[in-house]
Amino acid sequence: ECTIAYDRDYRKINFGSWNASSVPYYRMDHYYKGIRECNIFMQNVDRCSDPLITKDQLAEWKVQARFARAYYYFSMMRDYGPVFLLGDELLDFTASTEALYRPRHTWDQCVDYVTSELEACAQDPAMPSQSSLSETKYGYATKGVCYAVISRMKLYSARPLFNGNELYRNLVNPVVTDEQFAEQSGQPLFPREFDAKKWLEAAEAAHKVFEEGFYELYREGDGSNPYANYYGITHQTWNKELIWTDRYNGGYSWGVNTVPTGVAGTAYGAVGPTQQQVDAYAMSNGRYPITGYFEDGTPKIDNQSGYSADEFQIETWKYPASGWSKFSDYDLKAPNMYKDREPRFYVTIFFGGNYWLHENASTMISFAKGGNSNKSHDYPKSGYLCNRFYDHELNSANGNWGNITFPLFRLGEIYLNFIEAVLECKRNGVSLPAGYENEAFAKWDDLRDRSGMAPIREVYKNADINQLVDLCRKERRVELAFESHRYFDTRTWMIAEETDGGPMYGMDTTCPGSGSVTPQGFWKRTVFETRVFKSNHYLYPFSQRELDRNRLLVQNYGW
């Protein structure tokens, strides 16, 4: 989705410069430490003798720990595929290395275990529903959170990466004689055959979240302002669309990395959407304008979208600012590329040659080399900034950053999980429960209506099922932009070799400029870096250290 100027380990992933001995963001030991701590807690909490602690409190803490343990497993499964399931076991630190050898569980075993654990949590009387949660406990896991995690996991499980993937056919556990590992002995780690019914499981899992009856798509007031509707998802804290959040945070860490350095005060603006992400947004009529690219990076344009073939022609048009700032819409001289796009575009994407809005002030920004927001290493290499997580109604120069409840899971995602699963059921000839298809399109219509666009089947009247699946993926890319989904979506769909590798485009930030003026030469599709994605990159490697000390561990494909 973006480029970030800071020199961090994600660059190893972007450029393919990682291996089993050098694994960026290696987290397996952290997760298993957490799992062990959950087990210790659950096995001992009932012994608590503090007279001030009630039985209900102990039960509540216990079920929260059980949820955390299941979530840690899911988090590892996203990165590694099948992992080791310990259940309630506490490994003996005094045992020999050989005594601790163990094979991985299979993918389906992992999915079944985490599903059963989360369902048990959801059905536990100590697990609250969102509607019964007191404000002091906002951020706790709830019944809805349990079902939302199952929904995402079942969706991933139905997608190509984990459903009959040919690359992983030869990943098989070694044969072992230890009865403890009988179910894993000699078993393929990943499903070898595609199972279309997993799409039905994914649809039903998403529907379970709807049955909670609490969550609603966020709309501001009467819902007539699509810009405020989308902006409010992250800036109206604890709103009813949020299923589970990254807690109540000050907005500094989100905002400071996206506010351009040309704005007074602390600013490190360096999180820049790629041109590919910019191109992904629809026009105001609901059609997606860019259908692909020619070899030189020139876009292929849908002529029915209204997108200008002369995308860099400068014209004066009304810029929609009133949805997320204290400013009214204003006239702006800017390229046609950014004109007449859907509301989510303007809420999410900031382009140069425009005013950055901060409370009652505005600052014209230039990302040209030497411009007011490209004077050091802190600038967006793509010539764009993420607009979405900065509170434009406050003045960050005065240290006012606001607060945020960043969505880990929200209803908009579950809508899209359900829509995709229903469409894939239709594409693969799987019978659906009565009403599911109509409900899926109704939810898709609702999601687009929230952002001011017509229903997808009105905009694309003759779309067949394959086109609808593709349109659903486009919707997901835009609706969930910068919410930590795209990384896993491109991998589980197995499209990352096309989308996450090769040249990444932006505007020409090497074009000389000064002050707040954006020179004409800046407006040019320019490769700012070329990324590497190979077939082994779909999953993380197990570290060489783990392979050396566990001779039953089968490494992931290609590592």
Side-chain angles (χ1 to χ4, degrees), residues 133-173:
L133 204 62
S134 66
E135 289 187 9
T136 59
K137 295 180 179 178
Y138 280 178
Y140 274 39
T142 63
K143 297 179 188 297
V145 175
C146 294
Y147 292 130
V149 177
I150 294 172
S151 170
R152 192 184 296 177
M153 182 174 64
K154 291 282 191 177
L155 184 79
Y156 288 172
S157 188
R159 286 175 174 174
L161 187 66
F162 298 120
N163 196 357
N165 178 1
E166 288 290 327
L167 292 178
Y168 299 163
R169 288 185 63 83
N170 295 326
L171 296 181
V172 179
N173 271 332

mmCIF file of all heavy atoms in Angstrom, residues 133-173:
data_model
loop_
_atom_site.group_PDB
_atom_site.id
_atom_site.type_symbol
_atom_site.label_atom_id
_atom_site.label_comp_id
_atom_site.label_asym_id
_atom_site.label_seq_id
_atom_site.Cartn_x
_atom_site.Cartn_y
_atom_site.Cartn_z
ATOM 1 N N LEU A 133 -20.955 -4.541 27.901
ATOM 2 C CA LEU A 133 -19.634 -4.143 28.368
ATOM 3 C C LEU A 133 -19.680 -2.730 28.956
ATOM 4 O O LEU A 133 -20.186 -1.799 28.328
ATOM 5 C CB LEU A 133 -18.644 -4.187 27.200
ATOM 6 C CG LEU A 133 -17.170 -4.356 27.505
ATOM 7 C CD1 LEU A 133 -16.902 -5.677 28.211
ATOM 8 C CD2 LEU A 133 -16.357 -4.266 26.222
ATOM 9 N N SER A 134 -19.158 -2.560 30.149
ATOM 10 C CA SER A 134 -19.083 -1.226 30.739
ATOM 11 C C SER A 134 -17.962 -0.443 30.071
ATOM 12 O O SER A 134 -17.004 -1.019 29.537
ATOM 13 C CB SER A 134 -18.819 -1.320 32.244
ATOM 14 O OG SER A 134 -17.531 -1.862 32.491
ATOM 15 N N GLU A 135 -18.062 0.887 30.120
ATOM 16 C CA GLU A 135 -17.072 1.735 29.453
ATOM 17 C C GLU A 135 -15.666 1.493 29.974
ATOM 18 O O GLU A 135 -14.688 1.631 29.239
ATOM 19 C CB GLU A 135 -17.442 3.208 29.604
ATOM 20 C CG GLU A 135 -18.663 3.614 28.790
ATOM 21 C CD GLU A 135 -18.895 5.119 28.819
ATOM 22 O OE1 GLU A 135 -18.014 5.842 29.318
ATOM 23 O OE2 GLU A 135 -19.962 5.547 28.342
ATOM 24 N N THR A 136 -15.534 1.144 31.251
ATOM 25 C CA THR A 136 -14.210 0.916 31.819
ATOM 26 C C THR A 136 -13.543 -0.326 31.251
ATOM 27 O O THR A 136 -12.348 -0.522 31.424
ATOM 28 C CB THR A 136 -14.292 0.768 33.347
ATOM 29 O OG1 THR A 136 -15.156 -0.324 33.669
ATOM 30 C CG2 THR A 136 -14.810 2.045 33.982
ATOM 31 N N LYS A 137 -14.315 -1.160 30.559
ATOM 32 C CA LYS A 137 -13.773 -2.400 30.001
ATOM 33 C C LYS A 137 -13.768 -2.400 28.475
ATOM 34 O O LYS A 137 -13.584 -3.441 27.853
ATOM 35 C CB LYS A 137 -14.554 -3.605 30.537
ATOM 36 C CG LYS A 137 -14.372 -3.787 32.042
ATOM 37 C CD LYS A 137 -15.140 -4.990 32.573
ATOM 38 C CE LYS A 137 -14.914 -5.142 34.074
ATOM 39 N NZ LYS A 137 -15.677 -6.280 34.635
ATOM 40 N N TYR A 138 -13.974 -1.226 27.874
ATOM 41 C CA TYR A 138 -13.856 -1.145 26.421
ATOM 42 C C TYR A 138 -12.459 -1.609 26.003
ATOM 43 O O TYR A 138 -11.456 -1.218 26.593
ATOM 44 C CB TYR A 138 -14.071 0.284 25.937
ATOM 45 C CG TYR A 138 -15.521 0.710 25.848
ATOM 46 C CD1 TYR A 138 -15.849 2.004 25.453
ATOM 47 C CD2 TYR A 138 -16.554 -0.155 26.152
ATOM 48 C CE1 TYR A 138 -17.174 2.414 25.366
ATOM 49 C CE2 TYR A 138 -17.867 0.244 26.071
ATOM 50 C CZ TYR A 138 -18.180 1.536 25.683
ATOM 51 O OH TYR A 138 -19.482 1.934 25.607
ATOM 52 N N GLY A 139 -12.404 -2.432 24.979
ATOM 53 C CA GLY A 139 -11.149 -2.999 24.532
ATOM 54 C C GLY A 139 -10.974 -4.447 24.945
ATOM 55 O O GLY A 139 -10.094 -5.132 24.437
ATOM 56 N N TYR A 140 -11.822 -4.927 25.884
ATOM 57 C CA TYR A 140 -11.800 -6.348 26.233
ATOM 58 C C TYR A 140 -12.253 -7.178 25.032
ATOM 59 O O TYR A 140 -12.983 -6.700 24.167
ATOM 60 C CB TYR A 140 -12.776 -6.631 27.384
ATOM 61 C CG TYR A 140 -12.239 -6.433 28.775
ATOM 62 C CD1 TYR A 140 -11.382 -5.379 29.088
ATOM 63 C CD2 TYR A 140 -12.615 -7.287 29.803
ATOM 64 C CE1 TYR A 140 -10.926 -5.186 30.379
ATOM 65 C CE2 TYR A 140 -12.161 -7.112 31.105
ATOM 66 C CZ TYR A 140 -11.308 -6.049 31.386
ATOM 67 O OH TYR A 140 -10.852 -5.874 32.665
ATOM 68 N N ALA A 141 -11.842 -8.429 25.020
ATOM 69 C CA ALA A 141 -12.444 -9.364 24.083
ATOM 70 C C ALA A 141 -13.903 -9.564 24.475
ATOM 71 O O ALA A 141 -14.256 -9.515 25.650
ATOM 72 C CB ALA A 141 -11.711 -10.698 24.108
ATOM 73 N N THR A 142 -14.758 -9.762 23.480
ATOM 74 C CA THR A 142 -16.185 -10.011 23.703
ATOM 75 C C THR A 142 -16.600 -11.199 22.837
ATOM 76 O O THR A 142 -15.805 -11.723 22.052
ATOM 77 C CB THR A 142 -17.020 -8.784 23.300
ATOM 78 O OG1 THR A 142 -16.853 -8.571 21.881
ATOM 79 C CG2 THR A 142 -16.595 -7.527 24.053
ATOM 80 N N LYS A 143 -17.861 -11.585 22.970
ATOM 81 C CA LYS A 143 -18.376 -12.648 22.110
ATOM 82 C C LYS A 143 -18.180 -12.278 20.638
ATOM 83 O O LYS A 143 -17.775 -13.101 19.806
ATOM 84 C CB LYS A 143 -19.856 -12.891 22.401
ATOM 85 C CG LYS A 143 -20.157 -13.382 23.805
ATOM 86 C CD LYS A 143 -21.658 -13.560 24.012
ATOM 87 C CE LYS A 143 -22.006 -13.855 25.464
ATOM 88 N NZ LYS A 143 -21.442 -15.120 25.944
ATOM 89 N N GLY A 144 -18.497 -11.025 20.309
ATOM 90 C CA GLY A 144 -18.353 -10.577 18.926
ATOM 91 C C GLY A 144 -16.924 -10.635 18.436
ATOM 92 O O GLY A 144 -16.670 -10.956 17.270
ATOM 93 N N VAL A 145 -15.974 -10.318 19.308
ATOM 94 C CA VAL A 145 -14.562 -10.397 18.936
ATOM 95 C C VAL A 145 -14.190 -11.841 18.611
ATOM 96 O O VAL A 145 -13.506 -12.121 17.614
ATOM 97 C CB VAL A 145 -13.664 -9.841 20.054
ATOM 98 C CG1 VAL A 145 -12.187 -10.033 19.699
ATOM 99 C CG2 VAL A 145 -13.948 -8.372 20.308
ATOM 100 N N CYS A 146 -14.643 -12.783 19.436
ATOM 101 C CA CYS A 146 -14.354 -14.198 19.189
ATOM 102 C C CYS A 146 -14.843 -14.615 17.805
ATOM 103 O O CYS A 146 -14.105 -15.262 17.040
ATOM 104 C CB CYS A 146 -15.024 -15.068 20.257
ATOM 105 S SG CYS A 146 -14.371 -14.840 21.929
ATOM 106 N N TYR A 147 -16.067 -14.238 17.475
ATOM 107 C CA TYR A 147 -16.625 -14.633 16.179
ATOM 108 C C TYR A 147 -15.949 -13.891 15.026
ATOM 109 O O TYR A 147 -15.807 -14.431 13.918
ATOM 110 C CB TYR A 147 -18.130 -14.401 16.166
ATOM 111 C CG TYR A 147 -18.891 -15.319 17.099
ATOM 112 C CD1 TYR A 147 -19.831 -14.819 17.998
ATOM 113 C CD2 TYR A 147 -18.661 -16.695 17.092
ATOM 114 C CE1 TYR A 147 -20.531 -15.657 18.864
ATOM 115 C CE2 TYR A 147 -19.354 -17.543 17.948
ATOM 116 C CZ TYR A 147 -20.285 -17.011 18.837
ATOM 117 O OH TYR A 147 -20.958 -17.855 19.682
ATOM 118 N N ALA A 148 -15.499 -12.648 15.282
ATOM 119 C CA ALA A 148 -14.808 -11.894 14.227
ATOM 120 C C ALA A 148 -13.465 -12.531 13.888
ATOM 121 O O ALA A 148 -13.075 -12.596 12.717
ATOM 122 C CB ALA A 148 -14.612 -10.445 14.664
ATOM 123 N N VAL A 149 -12.738 -13.011 14.897
ATOM 124 C CA VAL A 149 -11.464 -13.683 14.641
ATOM 125 C C VAL A 149 -11.706 -14.972 13.849
ATOM 126 O O VAL A 149 -10.990 -15.270 12.894
ATOM 127 C CB VAL A 149 -10.719 -13.982 15.953
ATOM 128 C CG1 VAL A 149 -9.421 -14.748 15.661
ATOM 129 C CG2 VAL A 149 -10.406 -12.691 16.703
ATOM 130 N N ILE A 150 -12.738 -15.720 14.235
ATOM 131 C CA ILE A 150 -13.072 -16.934 13.483
ATOM 132 C C ILE A 150 -13.397 -16.583 12.032
ATOM 133 O O ILE A 150 -12.978 -17.272 11.097
ATOM 134 C CB ILE A 150 -14.256 -17.672 14.135
ATOM 135 C CG1 ILE A 150 -13.869 -18.200 15.516
ATOM 136 C CG2 ILE A 150 -14.731 -18.834 13.247
ATOM 137 C CD1 ILE A 150 -15.035 -18.783 16.306
ATOM 138 N N SER A 151 -14.144 -15.492 11.834
ATOM 139 C CA SER A 151 -14.514 -15.087 10.483
ATOM 140 C C SER A 151 -13.285 -14.849 9.620
ATOM 141 O O SER A 151 -13.178 -15.351 8.492
ATOM 142 C CB SER A 151 -15.370 -13.812 10.536
ATOM 143 O OG SER A 151 -15.553 -13.277 9.234
ATOM 144 N N ARG A 152 -12.327 -14.092 10.134
ATOM 145 C CA ARG A 152 -11.140 -13.805 9.325
ATOM 146 C C ARG A 152 -10.324 -15.066 9.088
ATOM 147 O O ARG A 152 -9.813 -15.293 7.983
ATOM 148 C CB ARG A 152 -10.273 -12.734 9.998
ATOM 149 C CG ARG A 152 -9.183 -12.192 9.082
ATOM 150 C CD ARG A 152 -8.262 -11.213 9.777
ATOM 151 N NE ARG A 152 -8.957 -10.009 10.217
ATOM 152 C CZ ARG A 152 -8.364 -9.032 10.910
ATOM 153 N NH1 ARG A 152 -7.081 -9.134 11.245
ATOM 154 N NH2 ARG A 152 -9.043 -7.965 11.288
ATOM 155 N N MET A 153 -10.193 -15.896 10.119
ATOM 156 C CA MET A 153 -9.423 -17.121 9.966
ATOM 157 C C MET A 153 -10.066 -18.071 8.952
ATOM 158 O O MET A 153 -9.381 -18.659 8.112
ATOM 159 C CB MET A 153 -9.277 -17.820 11.320
ATOM 160 C CG MET A 153 -8.452 -19.097 11.267
ATOM 161 S SD MET A 153 -8.160 -19.815 12.891
ATOM 162 C CE MET A 153 -9.847 -20.221 13.362
ATOM 163 N N LYS A 154 -11.389 -18.210 9.010
ATOM 164 C CA LYS A 154 -12.081 -19.083 8.058
ATOM 165 C C LYS A 154 -11.978 -18.534 6.633
ATOM 166 O O LYS A 154 -11.901 -19.297 5.661
ATOM 167 C CB LYS A 154 -13.552 -19.224 8.458
ATOM 168 C CG LYS A 154 -13.785 -20.007 9.745
ATOM 169 C CD LYS A 154 -13.670 -21.502 9.524
ATOM 170 C CE LYS A 154 -14.157 -22.281 10.725
ATOM 171 N NZ LYS A 154 -14.115 -23.741 10.519
ATOM 172 N N LEU A 155 -11.990 -17.208 6.498
ATOM 173 C CA LEU A 155 -11.821 -16.605 5.178
ATOM 174 C C LEU A 155 -10.441 -16.939 4.621
ATOM 175 O O LEU A 155 -10.319 -17.378 3.474
ATOM 176 C CB LEU A 155 -12.005 -15.093 5.267
ATOM 177 C CG LEU A 155 -11.956 -14.349 3.930
ATOM 178 C CD1 LEU A 155 -13.275 -14.487 3.187
ATOM 179 C CD2 LEU A 155 -11.622 -12.876 4.140
ATOM 180 N N TYR A 156 -9.404 -16.733 5.428
ATOM 181 C CA TYR A 156 -8.055 -17.070 4.976
ATOM 182 C C TYR A 156 -7.958 -18.551 4.619
ATOM 183 O O TYR A 156 -7.298 -18.932 3.645
ATOM 184 C CB TYR A 156 -7.041 -16.754 6.073
ATOM 185 C CG TYR A 156 -6.775 -15.286 6.325
ATOM 186 C CD1 TYR A 156 -6.003 -14.875 7.408
ATOM 187 C CD2 TYR A 156 -7.276 -14.296 5.492
ATOM 188 C CE1 TYR A 156 -5.735 -13.537 7.658
ATOM 189 C CE2 TYR A 156 -7.030 -12.947 5.728
ATOM 190 C CZ TYR A 156 -6.246 -12.574 6.815
ATOM 191 O OH TYR A 156 -5.988 -11.246 7.063
ATOM 192 N N SER A 157 -8.605 -19.391 5.419
ATOM 193 C CA SER A 157 -8.523 -20.836 5.215
ATOM 194 C C SER A 157 -9.169 -21.263 3.903
ATOM 195 O O SER A 157 -8.765 -22.265 3.305
ATOM 196 C CB SER A 157 -9.191 -21.565 6.385
ATOM 197 O OG SER A 157 -8.970 -22.955 6.317
ATOM 198 N N ALA A 158 -10.163 -20.507 3.447
ATOM 199 C CA ALA A 158 -10.841 -20.840 2.194
ATOM 200 C C ALA A 158 -10.085 -20.333 0.965
ATOM 201 O O ALA A 158 -10.280 -20.842 -0.139
ATOM 202 C CB ALA A 158 -12.256 -20.251 2.201
ATOM 203 N N ARG A 159 -9.243 -19.345 1.149
ATOM 204 C CA ARG A 159 -8.520 -18.744 0.021
ATOM 205 C C ARG A 159 -7.415 -19.668 -0.500
ATOM 206 O O ARG A 159 -7.018 -20.621 0.166
ATOM 207 C CB ARG A 159 -7.940 -17.392 0.450
ATOM 208 C CG ARG A 159 -8.985 -16.287 0.568
ATOM 209 C CD ARG A 159 -8.361 -15.021 1.108
ATOM 210 N NE ARG A 159 -9.281 -13.885 1.111
ATOM 211 C CZ ARG A 159 -8.989 -12.697 1.646
ATOM 212 N NH1 ARG A 159 -7.803 -12.501 2.206
ATOM 213 N NH2 ARG A 159 -9.864 -11.719 1.612
ATOM 214 N N PRO A 160 -6.875 -19.366 -1.692
ATOM 215 C CA PRO A 160 -5.956 -20.291 -2.361
ATOM 216 C C PRO A 160 -4.710 -20.678 -1.568
ATOM 217 O O PRO A 160 -4.228 -21.805 -1.706
ATOM 218 C CB PRO A 160 -5.578 -19.530 -3.638
ATOM 219 C CG PRO A 160 -6.753 -18.655 -3.930
ATOM 220 C CD PRO A 160 -7.264 -18.236 -2.580
ATOM 221 N N LEU A 161 -4.156 -19.770 -0.759
ATOM 222 C CA LEU A 161 -2.904 -20.082 -0.083
ATOM 223 C C LEU A 161 -3.031 -21.309 0.814
ATOM 224 O O LEU A 161 -2.093 -22.116 0.904
ATOM 225 C CB LEU A 161 -2.437 -18.883 0.751
ATOM 226 C CG LEU A 161 -1.049 -19.021 1.388
ATOM 227 C CD1 LEU A 161 0.047 -19.069 0.326
ATOM 228 C CD2 LEU A 161 -0.788 -17.894 2.382
ATOM 229 N N PHE A 162 -4.176 -21.456 1.464
ATOM 230 C CA PHE A 162 -4.356 -22.532 2.432
ATOM 231 C C PHE A 162 -5.395 -23.564 1.988
ATOM 232 O O PHE A 162 -5.880 -24.340 2.803
ATOM 233 C CB PHE A 162 -4.772 -21.951 3.785
ATOM 234 C CG PHE A 162 -3.752 -21.027 4.395
ATOM 235 C CD1 PHE A 162 -4.076 -19.702 4.668
ATOM 236 C CD2 PHE A 162 -2.475 -21.473 4.679
ATOM 237 C CE1 PHE A 162 -3.145 -18.848 5.234
ATOM 238 C CE2 PHE A 162 -1.530 -20.629 5.246
ATOM 239 C CZ PHE A 162 -1.862 -19.305 5.524
ATOM 240 N N ASN A 163 -5.737 -23.564 0.716
ATOM 241 C CA ASN A 163 -6.816 -24.435 0.251
ATOM 242 C C ASN A 163 -6.415 -25.114 -1.061
ATOM 243 O O ASN A 163 -6.808 -24.702 -2.144
ATOM 244 C CB ASN A 163 -8.101 -23.622 0.077
ATOM 245 C CG ASN A 163 -9.340 -24.483 -0.023
ATOM 246 O OD1 ASN A 163 -9.278 -25.705 -0.015
ATOM 247 N ND2 ASN A 163 -10.497 -23.833 -0.127
ATOM 248 N N GLY A 164 -5.590 -26.163 -0.945
ATOM 249 C CA GLY A 164 -5.175 -26.915 -2.123
ATOM 250 C C GLY A 164 -4.038 -26.289 -2.898
ATOM 251 O O GLY A 164 -3.900 -26.513 -4.106
ATOM 252 N N ASN A 165 -3.190 -25.540 -2.237
ATOM 253 C CA ASN A 165 -2.068 -24.858 -2.870
ATOM 254 C C ASN A 165 -1.012 -25.872 -3.339
ATOM 255 O O ASN A 165 -0.438 -26.614 -2.539
ATOM 256 C CB ASN A 165 -1.460 -23.880 -1.862
ATOM 257 C CG ASN A 165 -0.251 -23.142 -2.391
ATOM 258 O OD1 ASN A 165 0.165 -23.320 -3.533
ATOM 259 N ND2 ASN A 165 0.318 -22.311 -1.548
ATOM 260 N N GLU A 166 -0.734 -25.877 -4.636
ATOM 261 C CA GLU A 166 0.210 -26.838 -5.206
ATOM 262 C C GLU A 166 1.630 -26.659 -4.670
ATOM 263 O O GLU A 166 2.390 -27.621 -4.565
ATOM 264 C CB GLU A 166 0.233 -26.713 -6.737
ATOM 265 C CG GLU A 166 -1.013 -27.235 -7.428
ATOM 266 C CD GLU A 166 -1.123 -28.756 -7.360
ATOM 267 O OE1 GLU A 166 -0.071 -29.427 -7.369
ATOM 268 O OE2 GLU A 166 -2.262 -29.260 -7.284
ATOM 269 N N LEU A 167 2.005 -25.440 -4.328
ATOM 270 C CA LEU A 167 3.366 -25.200 -3.849
ATOM 271 C C LEU A 167 3.664 -25.992 -2.582
ATOM 272 O O LEU A 167 4.814 -26.359 -2.321
ATOM 273 C CB LEU A 167 3.581 -23.708 -3.560
ATOM 274 C CG LEU A 167 3.583 -22.734 -4.732
ATOM 275 C CD1 LEU A 167 3.748 -21.313 -4.223
ATOM 276 C CD2 LEU A 167 4.687 -23.074 -5.720
ATOM 277 N N TYR A 168 2.629 -26.245 -1.782
ATOM 278 C CA TYR A 168 2.853 -26.822 -0.454
ATOM 279 C C TYR A 168 2.549 -28.321 -0.383
ATOM 280 O O TYR A 168 2.537 -28.897 0.703
ATOM 281 C CB TYR A 168 1.988 -26.088 0.577
ATOM 282 C CG TYR A 168 2.268 -24.602 0.717
ATOM 283 C CD1 TYR A 168 1.357 -23.762 1.337
ATOM 284 C CD2 TYR A 168 3.446 -24.042 0.237
ATOM 285 C CE1 TYR A 168 1.611 -22.401 1.486
ATOM 286 C CE2 TYR A 168 3.708 -22.693 0.370
ATOM 287 C CZ TYR A 168 2.791 -21.871 0.988
ATOM 288 O OH TYR A 168 3.058 -20.537 1.123
ATOM 289 N N ARG A 169 2.320 -28.947 -1.535
ATOM 290 C CA ARG A 169 1.912 -30.358 -1.544
ATOM 291 C C ARG A 169 2.945 -31.279 -0.903
ATOM 292 O O ARG A 169 2.595 -32.298 -0.288
ATOM 293 C CB ARG A 169 1.655 -30.839 -2.979
ATOM 294 C CG ARG A 169 0.390 -30.293 -3.603
ATOM 295 C CD ARG A 169 0.151 -30.925 -4.971
ATOM 296 N NE ARG A 169 -0.062 -32.370 -4.874
ATOM 297 C CZ ARG A 169 -1.211 -32.931 -4.586
ATOM 298 N NH1 ARG A 169 -2.274 -32.171 -4.342
ATOM 299 N NH2 ARG A 169 -1.325 -34.242 -4.532
ATOM 300 N N ASN A 170 4.205 -30.947 -1.032
ATOM 301 C CA ASN A 170 5.257 -31.848 -0.564
ATOM 302 C C ASN A 170 5.726 -31.541 0.859
ATOM 303 O O ASN A 170 6.714 -32.135 1.318
ATOM 304 C CB ASN A 170 6.448 -31.806 -1.521
ATOM 305 C CG ASN A 170 6.084 -32.343 -2.893
ATOM 306 O OD1 ASN A 170 5.270 -33.265 -3.021
ATOM 307 N ND2 ASN A 170 6.658 -31.759 -3.937
ATOM 308 N N LEU A 171 5.061 -30.641 1.531
ATOM 309 C CA LEU A 171 5.416 -30.355 2.927
ATOM 310 C C LEU A 171 4.693 -31.357 3.820
ATOM 311 O O LEU A 171 3.496 -31.232 4.086
ATOM 312 C CB LEU A 171 5.041 -28.920 3.296
ATOM 313 C CG LEU A 171 5.786 -27.817 2.532
ATOM 314 C CD1 LEU A 171 5.332 -26.449 3.015
ATOM 315 C CD2 LEU A 171 7.295 -27.963 2.703
ATOM 316 N N VAL A 172 5.416 -32.355 4.257
ATOM 317 C CA VAL A 172 4.836 -33.472 5.001
ATOM 318 C C VAL A 172 5.634 -33.683 6.279
ATOM 319 O O VAL A 172 6.871 -33.661 6.275
ATOM 320 C CB VAL A 172 4.862 -34.766 4.155
ATOM 321 C CG1 VAL A 172 4.273 -35.932 4.929
ATOM 322 C CG2 VAL A 172 4.100 -34.552 2.846
ATOM 323 N N ASN A 173 4.937 -33.891 7.385
ATOM 324 C CA ASN A 173 5.607 -34.177 8.649
ATOM 325 C C ASN A 173 6.368 -35.504 8.571
ATOM 326 O O ASN A 173 5.925 -36.443 7.897
ATOM 327 C CB ASN A 173 4.588 -34.269 9.785
ATOM 328 C CG ASN A 173 4.330 -32.932 10.447
ATOM 329 O OD1 ASN A 173 5.198 -32.065 10.466
ATOM 330 N ND2 ASN A 173 3.140 -32.776 11.020
#
